[in-house]
Amino acid sequence: MSDEHNGLFASVDALLEQAAADALPDPAERKRLREAAGLSQDQVANALTVRRETVTGWESGRTEPRPPKRAAYIRLLDGLAARFPAPESPSGSAWGPSARPPVISQPQESTSPVVPASDRATPVRPPVAAARRLTVKKTVAPAAGDARFTHGPLAVVDGDGSAYCTGGLVLDCPLTDLPTLVEWTLREADLGAARLHRSGKDADPLIVLTASAVQRLGLPAVLEDRRGLRLPDDHPAPKQLAAAQWKLTKRGFGPWARVYRTADGARRQCVQFAVVPWGALDTRSWDTAHQLQSAELARLLGTYATRVLTPCGSTAVTGLELMTALRPPTRAVKDPATGKWVSGPMPGSLSEPVECAPPEAPDGHPAVAALYPRFHQRTPDQVLDEEAYQWARPLTDAECLKPYVVGIDVNMAFAAAANRLTVGLSAPVHVHRPVFDAKLPGSWLVDLSHITFDERLPSPFTPHGERPTGPAWYATPTVAYAVELGYQVTPIEAYLRYEHGPYLDAWYTRLRDAYVATMADLGVTPGMPEEQFLAAMAGYQQTDPVLAAVLSAVKATVKGGIGKLRERARSGGWRPGEAWPALARPTWRPDIRAAVIASARVNMHRKMLKLATHASLYPVAILSDCAVYASDGTGPLDFLPYQDGKPLPGGFRLGVSPGMVKHEGTQSVLWAEGLLEEHGPDVNIARHIKTGVVSGQDEGE
């Protein structure tokens, strides 16, 4: 080929390279496309053979991809853009004016439907006073980029008609009755939040009622029905809503209430209420949120809504709803036979309820009642018992000579365990004499009683830390850890899920980002020197009570969301052996909960074994994600081992990121010995290491 041809081709290649450069979407869109597909930064990095930090730089705009990675990255983004177009703008649709596919979801009690055209003809109530802005510093930005929700996701309403929104905005709202307030919220308030996934649904506006607003609306200051936690049906408020053609879910009007009109393919007409004086903001999750002034409460809830999800119930309920918001059960697909858009299952999501395996079912489940007589106590070979650690032992003579016991606590332990965890997406298949496969999620009946450890270490195979006595059911992460330690396992039978995937990855990423961002706002950032980190952690909760409450809620969302995967039956006429409403959810998955907890417990043991093997350090007590060690000093740096000035590889590391540890508390060895002497060997000093007070309330993070 002539030099002239080579020169022409080089020029063309340069133009192509320039075109490729122009083909890259902006950084925010790169992140949106990845999250819409439910991909983690690690997955993208592995596919492109780059570091995760490189992908972070591309999505933040700090760096740009260079050839040859650029072309591959553009190809990935183009493919994702074809599957997940940008959300529809107010003036048009990505699908064209007449061909927009419907977003169809599985009907659930918590999914409130949309108003039909006939209902939308209901006369609009007289407009309320215009919005007014106060000269308040904007601490949380309103919902940018979506003209439908210009005033943010929620409003905290006072008895004088002031509706405090995010960003320091205050609106005037009517408080004559609930129907008027609902109409104002939907027609004038511009509240809500855009969906987190293209096939999901927008978050309904949230109205938070303070004590003065409750009084102004004629609602009781305290709910008399402490069991049902709802207004009686003959109360004027529910009657007013019914008269105005508004409906309530089965839980009625209580601390968390959803008011809606029936769906008919039109825009959703639904408002969520949180009633503060009725206990909507549980102190175990929201700290002292119920005591905040309205503007500060709006900042707290707005920050949480922006970083996690608009609250739609307890933090546990919101944690579960976040899973669905990030991985909706269904999507719009075109029927090849008719050419019409219909609802189809979303790949990688939990699309329909499935039966659990008998050993995975909790007591009282219909599957348990069918196999065992009532009051039968199931043995380890009949039930999957994957729970968090609750283990303690007496101090040795050498440990008693040390002056202190120091507790360290794993940050976001369950969230870290959910990261990159492969879980089942389908119903279980019963298999006899299977060959163990660590890549297959499921429950395995296997005998691990031959595996022994130093008596100063707990067994990784039981929550109580005692060695198994025979065959027992285990989730895949537990059996995989036995194989990792070099032991041979021979399963007797198993319930396996051949359709599987990283369902919780996007959930973990969003909660991790919320946690890290909130900690950064409180002055604790990744990469801090360890001494500086410990000093910052000692006082971060006093930095900003509002953000401290946000942090508490984020952590409660993790634990509560995982717990909700195996929600038990509630009282109210239920009897053992009867099904309960939660079983009808695609997200009622006790096997996924078991896998997460097993992974967290194994992660904990792996680090403790590392310290025991390489530094002869053994825990004296463990409670879930908190481990206590005897120490010559008062802090973690006084006993955590180091090699060449760095933390022992594979051991506990101090830091703010999920999976790293912080200082939980320090007490004297005399205190620990006194506790054991007074309360006996069953007391767990890890439960009380933080405060030193035996109250039964100290549960670690």
Side-chain angles (χ1 to χ4, degrees), residues 683-697:
V683 72
N684 190 324
I685 63 174
R687 184 183 300 277
H688 314 291
I689 191 74
K690 188 171 187 176
T691 63
V693 178
V694 182
S695 63
Q697 301 297 319

PDB file of all heavy atoms in Angstrom, residues 683-697:
ATOM      1  N   VAL A 683     -23.739 -14.305  79.737  1.00  0.00           N
ATOM      2  CA  VAL A 683     -23.701 -12.891  79.397  1.00  0.00           C
ATOM      3  C   VAL A 683     -22.692 -12.680  78.266  1.00  0.00           C
ATOM      4  O   VAL A 683     -21.650 -13.343  78.200  1.00  0.00           O
ATOM      5  CB  VAL A 683     -23.336 -12.026  80.622  1.00  0.00           C
ATOM      6  CG1 VAL A 683     -21.868 -12.200  80.997  1.00  0.00           C
ATOM      7  CG2 VAL A 683     -23.637 -10.561  80.354  1.00  0.00           C
ATOM      8  N   ASN A 684     -23.024 -11.776  77.372  1.00  0.00           N
ATOM      9  CA  ASN A 684     -22.143 -11.475  76.247  1.00  0.00           C
ATOM     10  C   ASN A 684     -21.629 -10.051  76.420  1.00  0.00           C
ATOM     11  O   ASN A 684     -22.390  -9.088  76.278  1.00  0.00           O
ATOM     12  CB  ASN A 684     -22.902 -11.612  74.924  1.00  0.00           C
ATOM     13  CG  ASN A 684     -21.989 -11.546  73.720  1.00  0.00           C
ATOM     14  OD1 ASN A 684     -21.008 -10.810  73.697  1.00  0.00           O
ATOM     15  ND2 ASN A 684     -22.304 -12.321  72.696  1.00  0.00           N
ATOM     16  N   ILE A 685     -20.346  -9.910  76.747  1.00  0.00           N
ATOM     17  CA  ILE A 685     -19.818  -8.575  77.026  1.00  0.00           C
ATOM     18  C   ILE A 685     -19.791  -7.709  75.774  1.00  0.00           C
ATOM     19  O   ILE A 685     -19.748  -6.475  75.874  1.00  0.00           O
ATOM     20  CB  ILE A 685     -18.420  -8.633  77.664  1.00  0.00           C
ATOM     21  CG1 ILE A 685     -17.399  -9.261  76.718  1.00  0.00           C
ATOM     22  CG2 ILE A 685     -18.456  -9.388  78.977  1.00  0.00           C
ATOM     23  CD1 ILE A 685     -15.982  -9.201  77.249  1.00  0.00           C
ATOM     24  N   ALA A 686     -19.844  -8.329  74.577  1.00  0.00           N
ATOM     25  CA  ALA A 686     -19.901  -7.523  73.349  1.00  0.00           C
ATOM     26  C   ALA A 686     -21.187  -6.708  73.287  1.00  0.00           C
ATOM     27  O   ALA A 686     -21.223  -5.629  72.694  1.00  0.00           O
ATOM     28  CB  ALA A 686     -19.791  -8.423  72.121  1.00  0.00           C
ATOM     29  N   ARG A 687     -22.244  -7.209  73.913  1.00  0.00           N
ATOM     30  CA  ARG A 687     -23.517  -6.486  73.916  1.00  0.00           C
ATOM     31  C   ARG A 687     -23.437  -5.197  74.725  1.00  0.00           C
ATOM     32  O   ARG A 687     -24.173  -4.239  74.472  1.00  0.00           O
ATOM     33  CB  ARG A 687     -24.617  -7.388  74.478  1.00  0.00           C
ATOM     34  CG  ARG A 687     -26.005  -6.774  74.446  1.00  0.00           C
ATOM     35  CD  ARG A 687     -27.034  -7.693  75.082  1.00  0.00           C
ATOM     36  NE  ARG A 687     -27.119  -8.972  74.404  1.00  0.00           N
ATOM     37  CZ  ARG A 687     -27.834  -9.188  73.299  1.00  0.00           C
ATOM     38  NH1 ARG A 687     -28.519  -8.198  72.746  1.00  0.00           N
ATOM     39  NH2 ARG A 687     -27.863 -10.382  72.749  1.00  0.00           N
ATOM     40  N   HIS A 688     -22.553  -5.150  75.697  1.00  0.00           N
ATOM     41  CA  HIS A 688     -22.525  -4.021  76.627  1.00  0.00           C
ATOM     42  C   HIS A 688     -21.221  -3.233  76.579  1.00  0.00           C
ATOM     43  O   HIS A 688     -21.018  -2.343  77.401  1.00  0.00           O
ATOM     44  CB  HIS A 688     -22.766  -4.535  78.049  1.00  0.00           C
ATOM     45  CG  HIS A 688     -23.906  -5.507  78.152  1.00  0.00           C
ATOM     46  ND1 HIS A 688     -25.214  -5.127  77.970  1.00  0.00           N
ATOM     47  CD2 HIS A 688     -23.922  -6.852  78.387  1.00  0.00           C
ATOM     48  CE1 HIS A 688     -25.998  -6.199  78.104  1.00  0.00           C
ATOM     49  NE2 HIS A 688     -25.238  -7.247  78.353  1.00  0.00           N
ATOM     50  N   ILE A 689     -20.332  -3.571  75.640  1.00  0.00           N
ATOM     51  CA  ILE A 689     -19.010  -2.947  75.609  1.00  0.00           C
ATOM     52  C   ILE A 689     -19.090  -1.453  75.306  1.00  0.00           C
ATOM     53  O   ILE A 689     -18.231  -0.676  75.730  1.00  0.00           O
ATOM     54  CB  ILE A 689     -18.111  -3.662  74.556  1.00  0.00           C
ATOM     55  CG1 ILE A 689     -16.654  -3.224  74.698  1.00  0.00           C
ATOM     56  CG2 ILE A 689     -18.613  -3.408  73.147  1.00  0.00           C
ATOM     57  CD1 ILE A 689     -15.958  -3.788  75.878  1.00  0.00           C
ATOM     58  N   LYS A 690     -20.133  -1.041  74.598  1.00  0.00           N
ATOM     59  CA  LYS A 690     -20.217   0.358  74.183  1.00  0.00           C
ATOM     60  C   LYS A 690     -20.492   1.279  75.361  1.00  0.00           C
ATOM     61  O   LYS A 690     -19.842   2.322  75.519  1.00  0.00           O
ATOM     62  CB  LYS A 690     -21.300   0.522  73.113  1.00  0.00           C
ATOM     63  CG  LYS A 690     -21.342   1.900  72.470  1.00  0.00           C
ATOM     64  CD  LYS A 690     -22.291   1.899  71.283  1.00  0.00           C
ATOM     65  CE  LYS A 690     -22.231   3.205  70.527  1.00  0.00           C
ATOM     66  NZ  LYS A 690     -23.085   3.182  69.313  1.00  0.00           N
ATOM     67  N   THR A 691     -21.460   0.917  76.186  1.00  0.00           N
ATOM     68  CA  THR A 691     -21.868   1.793  77.286  1.00  0.00           C
ATOM     69  C   THR A 691     -21.393   1.300  78.642  1.00  0.00           C
ATOM     70  O   THR A 691     -21.333   2.091  79.597  1.00  0.00           O
ATOM     71  CB  THR A 691     -23.406   1.916  77.329  1.00  0.00           C
ATOM     72  OG1 THR A 691     -23.967   0.626  77.600  1.00  0.00           O
ATOM     73  CG2 THR A 691     -23.943   2.410  75.984  1.00  0.00           C
ATOM     74  N   GLY A 692     -21.106   0.022  78.764  1.00  0.00           N
ATOM     75  CA  GLY A 692     -20.746  -0.546  80.052  1.00  0.00           C
ATOM     76  C   GLY A 692     -21.935  -0.817  80.940  1.00  0.00           C
ATOM     77  O   GLY A 692     -21.784  -1.295  82.061  1.00  0.00           O
ATOM     78  N   VAL A 693     -23.137  -0.522  80.437  1.00  0.00           N
ATOM     79  CA  VAL A 693     -24.360  -0.685  81.227  1.00  0.00           C
ATOM     80  C   VAL A 693     -25.122  -1.896  80.715  1.00  0.00           C
ATOM     81  O   VAL A 693     -25.349  -2.041  79.510  1.00  0.00           O
ATOM     82  CB  VAL A 693     -25.248   0.575  81.134  1.00  0.00           C
ATOM     83  CG1 VAL A 693     -26.537   0.368  81.927  1.00  0.00           C
ATOM     84  CG2 VAL A 693     -24.489   1.790  81.628  1.00  0.00           C
ATOM     85  N   VAL A 694     -25.523  -2.773  81.603  1.00  0.00           N
ATOM     86  CA  VAL A 694     -26.287  -3.954  81.217  1.00  0.00           C
ATOM     87  C   VAL A 694     -27.760  -3.571  81.158  1.00  0.00           C
ATOM     88  O   VAL A 694     -28.471  -3.632  82.156  1.00  0.00           O
ATOM     89  CB  VAL A 694     -26.066  -5.115  82.216  1.00  0.00           C
ATOM     90  CG1 VAL A 694     -26.829  -6.353  81.765  1.00  0.00           C
ATOM     91  CG2 VAL A 694     -24.588  -5.419  82.349  1.00  0.00           C
ATOM     92  N   SER A 695     -28.182  -3.142  79.959  1.00  0.00           N
ATOM     93  CA  SER A 695     -29.567  -2.704  79.801  1.00  0.00           C
ATOM     94  C   SER A 695     -30.340  -3.575  78.839  1.00  0.00           C
ATOM     95  O   SER A 695     -31.555  -3.456  78.720  1.00  0.00           O
ATOM     96  CB  SER A 695     -29.609  -1.256  79.281  1.00  0.00           C
ATOM     97  OG  SER A 695     -29.010  -1.175  78.002  1.00  0.00           O
ATOM     98  N   GLY A 696     -29.613  -4.423  78.098  1.00  0.00           N
ATOM     99  CA  GLY A 696     -30.282  -5.252  77.101  1.00  0.00           C
ATOM    100  C   GLY A 696     -30.586  -4.509  75.828  1.00  0.00           C
ATOM    101  O   GLY A 696     -31.200  -5.038  74.917  1.00  0.00           O
ATOM    102  N   GLN A 697     -30.142  -3.238  75.727  1.00  0.00           N
ATOM    103  CA  GLN A 697     -30.457  -2.440  74.542  1.00  0.00           C
ATOM    104  C   GLN A 697     -29.253  -2.210  73.638  1.00  0.00           C
ATOM    105  O   GLN A 697     -29.397  -1.707  72.541  1.00  0.00           O
ATOM    106  CB  GLN A 697     -31.020  -1.070  74.968  1.00  0.00           C
ATOM    107  CG  GLN A 697     -32.277  -1.161  75.810  1.00  0.00           C
ATOM    108  CD  GLN A 697     -33.410  -1.797  75.058  1.00  0.00           C
ATOM    109  OE1 GLN A 697     -33.625  -1.531  73.894  1.00  0.00           O
ATOM    110  NE2 GLN A 697     -34.148  -2.677  75.730  1.00  0.00           N
TER     111      GLN A 697
END
